[in-house]
């Protein structure tokens, strides 16, 4: 974590919580962080609920003036038209979303999202003034075949090809660490996050590479966040399972309290 990059703790709810559960959960999360005097200026917190929850989340967050940010878990590469089931970036923007997750490994695996689709979605999010959180990561067999950083770096290069410098976030999520309870070690995660920053510097130059936040994701918990955040190239976390537990997620958001 570098001092000039504001850490971001992002909770990816995946397909959990309907809008009623989302309202209760988000309210309790905001109260828990408020009671713990969480300083959002020091560590940003964002949640990624299912699309059907977003309107309720917007009403709650705007109505109660919570400092939580939020975004979609996916976005269409198209802006409007005959694309049944798709959600436009303009609709997310209209609901007050700041971010959108793009290319999560579950989208790549179960929805056949290729590097080309991911790239088109990055462009779509930028057209609508949403900050893409571009997810990259290798499978266990990629790791054995190509080593730790080749696949994530190639995915990042493909996602950004032909795209000029913009405000983005990168999330390194080794597929073998997602939902397995087996997180990458802080050294492993740092090595790949460093390689991603170098690739970004090659694409856009040093200054944007230095200011872009790179998150680690994959079995992040309250017990491993502090060591991960001590690494110079890790600027936050994309949290799945642990983001569904208020005290666990709040404790991850408050990692500065356990970083010495
Ligand atoms: P996990 O998921 O924290 O449950 O491993 C991370 C993710 O899929 O973003």
């Amino acid at each position: 974590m570098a001092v000039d990059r504001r850490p971001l703790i992002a909770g990816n709810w995946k397909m959990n919580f309907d809008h009623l559960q989302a309202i209760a959960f988000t309210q309790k999360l905001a109260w828990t962080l408020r009671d713990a005097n969480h300083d959002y200026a020091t560590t940003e917190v964002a949640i990624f609920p299912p699309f059907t929850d977003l309107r309720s989340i917007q009403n709650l967050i705007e109505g109660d003036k919570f400092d939580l940010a939020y975004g979609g878990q996916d976005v269409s590469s198209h802006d409007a038209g005959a694309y049944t089931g798709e959600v436009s970036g303009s609709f997310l923007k209209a609901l007050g979303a700041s971010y959108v997750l793009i290319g999560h490994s579950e989208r790549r695996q179960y929805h056949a999202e290729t590097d080309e689709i991911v790239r088109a979605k990055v462009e779509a999010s930028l057209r609508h003034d949403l900050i893409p959180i571009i997810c990259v990561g290798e499978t266990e067999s990629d790791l054995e075949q190509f080593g730790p950083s080749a696949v994530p770096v190639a995915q990042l290069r493909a996602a950004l090809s032909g795209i000029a410098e913009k405000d983005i976030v990168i999330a390194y999520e080794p597929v073998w660490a997602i939902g397995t309870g087996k997180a990458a070690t802080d050294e492993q995660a740092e090595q790949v996050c460093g390689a991603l920053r170098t690739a970004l510097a090659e694409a856009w130059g040093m200054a944007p590479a230095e200011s872009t936040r790179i998150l680690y994701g994959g079995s992040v918990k309250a017990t491993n966040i502090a060591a991960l955040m001590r690494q110079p190239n890790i600027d936050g976390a994309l949290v799945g399972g642990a983001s569904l537990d208020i005290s666990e997620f709040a404790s991850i958001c408050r990692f500065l309290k356990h970083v010495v």
Side-chain angles (χ1 to χ4, degrees), residues 14-251:
K14 309 193 180 185
M15 199 170 72
N16 292 289
F17 297 161
D18 65 24
H19 73 288
L20 296 173
Q21 294 167 314
I23 292 167
F25 181 92
T26 304
Q27 195 162 47
K28 261 193 229 160
L29 174 66
W31 288 341
T32 302
L33 289 170
R34 186 195 56 195
D35 289 350
N37 295 318
H38 179 72
D39 180 10
Y40 289 89
T42 307
T43 303
E44 186 177 9
V45 180
I47 51 174
F48 293 82
F51 288 134
T52 50
D53 298 356
L54 284 171
R55 178 60 163 168
S56 306
I57 297 279
Q58 177 193 28
N59 286 340
L60 175 70
I61 288 179
E62 288 183 2
D64 286 358
K65 298 192 171 36
F66 293 145
D67 289 319
L68 293 164
Y70 55 95
Q73 296 176 12
D74 183 30
V75 67
S76 176
S77 58
H78 305 283
D79 294 345
Y83 302 102
T84 301
E86 296 276 280
V87 173
S88 170
S90 66
F91 306 161
L92 293 174
K93 194 68 196 173
L95 287 174
S98 317
Y99 292 102
V100 63
L101 300 180
I102 295 181
H104 188 280
S105 70
E106 287 150 19
R107 301 290 317 167
R108 293 180 193 257
Q109 190 183 344
Y110 306 133
H111 301 273
E113 285 197 6
T114 60
D115 284 344
E116 290 71 43
I117 294 173
V118 169
R119 187 194 167 284
K121 290 185 172 190
V122 170
E123 272 200 323
S125 67
L126 295 170
R127 274 200 302 279
H128 297 291
D129 202 20
L130 294 161
I131 299 172
I133 299 187
I134 304 170
C135 304
V136 297
E138 80 289 358
T139 62
E140 197 137 42
S141 81
D142 292 334
L143 184 64
E144 281 159 21
Q145 234 183 307
F146 308 111
S149 47
V151 167
V153 164
Q155 288 174 340
L156 179 67
R157 288 203 180 111
L160 295 180
S161 91
I163 295 177
E165 176 190 337
K166 287 277 166 10
D167 194 4
I168 62 165
V169 175
I170 298 165
Y172 166 53
E173 297 206 301
V175 179
W176 48 267
I178 295 179
T180 59
K182 198 180 112 198
T185 64
D186 31 309
E187 291 88 0
Q188 278 174 318
E190 167 61 18
Q191 187 192 347
V192 180
C193 291
L196 290 168
R197 199 176 302 285
T198 303
L200 191 59
E202 283 159 11
W204 287 354
M206 275 312 280
E210 280 303 314
S211 62
T212 296
R213 291 174 294 179
I214 302 181
L215 317 182
Y216 166 78
S219 297
V220 171
K221 299 185 277 283
T223 47
N224 59 19
I225 184 70
L228 287 161
M229 292 305 292
R230 254 184 242 122
Q231 303 302 313
N233 282 297
I234 300 179
D235 309 308
L238 182 54
V239 186
S243 76
L244 303 174
D245 179 309
I246 289 170
S247 70
E248 183 78 9
F249 188 62
S251 173

